Amino acid sequence: QEGPGALWKGLAPALLRQISYTSLSLVIYEPIRGFYGRALQNAAEGPSFFQRLAAGGTAGALAIAVFNPAEVIKTQVQTHTGAGQSMADVARRVWAQDGIVGFWAGVRPNVARTFLVNAAELGTYDEAKSQLKPHFGDGLVSHVGASGIAGFTSACVSTPADVVKTRLMNSAGGEKQYRGMFHGFSRILVDEGVGALYKGFLPICIRKLVWCAAFFVSYERIRSAVNAR
């Protein structure tokens, strides 16, 4: 109905969100992981799986709380049908309707979702890689295998929060369907059943598998090249 270009709606705000949020998450992940190690007094033993999960989730939650406005704009541009809608159009409408608070619409489920996503992605990837390295070495096989495990785990745990977050963000600058995260979660569960919380699981899972493989493999290669200099 809208042509191939419609599949790339919201590319600019998606790139803005991904670059800023992911950069901050990765920069603060290892310091937070070290902090948890010192707090639990086992830094000398190396991080546990729990510490990796907690550090990944905390890093993601803090980063997305800062960059939630980019998520709101991205969500509305991508879900808009009909004539093209720019980032500026969305920003003006949200500002006029809700003020600065509107740009943090859905921040609670977004933080909850991102905690789960980053715990699953960063934490699970870190742990899976450490388990695979003794068998396959610190190379492509370990990186691809760990990223696949991380991507599938991320899709499983984050889809319900993703559904609630998307509905809340779509209501920014318009009619409010839900009062908040818990109200939205409970209404979806009561009105539409458990299956509604996993709407879009297959495309989310495919996206996560492709994204994690591309991201983590590239990240490991670039980090190795930079550290070698």
Side-chain angles (χ1 to χ4, degrees), residues 2-227:
E2 301 175 55
L7 296 173
W8 273 264
K9 272 185 175 178
L11 179 61
L15 287 172
L16 174 65
R17 178 259 190 203
Q18 201 66 48
I19 291 169
S20 54
Y21 147 73
T22 307
S23 298
L24 183 56
S25 295
L26 282 170
V27 166
I28 64 178
Y29 169 67
E30 291 188 6
I32 292 173
R33 189 183 65 186
F35 168 78
Y36 283 139
R38 291 188 297 275
L40 296 172
Q41 298 182 336
N42 68 340
E45 301 172 9
S48 66
F49 185 30
F50 171 76
Q51 286 169 236
R52 289 181 167 118
L53 291 176
T58 303
L62 290 173
I64 205 62
V66 175
F67 294 111
N68 197 76
E71 184 93 26
V72 170
I73 293 171
K74 174 186 78 75
T75 300
Q76 293 208 12
V77 170
Q78 289 181 335
T79 56
H80 177 73
T81 58
Q85 180 173 238
S86 68
M87 293 171 61
D89 293 334
V90 175
R92 280 193 292 267
R93 186 176 66 251
V94 172
W95 178 268
Q97 182 75 21
D98 297 324
I100 191 70
V101 177
F103 292 102
W104 272 267
V107 68
R108 290 180 182 177
N110 201 20
V111 166
R113 170 197 175 272
T114 307
F115 183 96
L116 296 172
V117 167
N118 255 44
E121 288 182 6
L122 281 178
T124 303
Y125 174 81
D126 202 8
E127 177 68 18
K129 185 177 73 169
S130 72
Q131 297 296 328
L132 291 171
K133 277 169 65 176
H135 304 286
F136 302 104
D138 190 11
L140 185 62
V141 174
S142 293
H143 299 160
V144 172
S147 66
I149 294 169
F152 180 74
T153 305
S154 174
C156 289
V157 302
S158 68
T159 300
D162 208 27
V163 170
V164 177
K165 176 212 72 162
T166 300
R167 295 197 185 187
L168 285 172
M169 287 186 171
N170 273 334
S171 69
E175 183 180 351
K176 303 295 184 290
Q177 187 178 5
Y178 307 112
R179 293 193 298 271
M181 178 177 69
F182 294 109
H183 181 244
F185 182 87
S186 62
R187 289 317 312 168
I188 292 170
L189 193 61
V190 170
D191 297 341
E192 303 174 52
V194 176
L197 293 171
Y198 279 88
K199 278 185 176 179
F201 174 77
L202 182 59
I204 287 175
C205 189
I206 293 171
R207 172 188 176 274
K208 288 292 183 184
L209 290 172
V210 175
W211 150 255
C212 284
F215 175 76
F216 283 116
V217 171
S218 300
Y219 172 72
E220 294 286 2
R221 291 292 185 272
I222 293 169
R223 186 169 73 167
S224 295
V226 170
N227 289 342

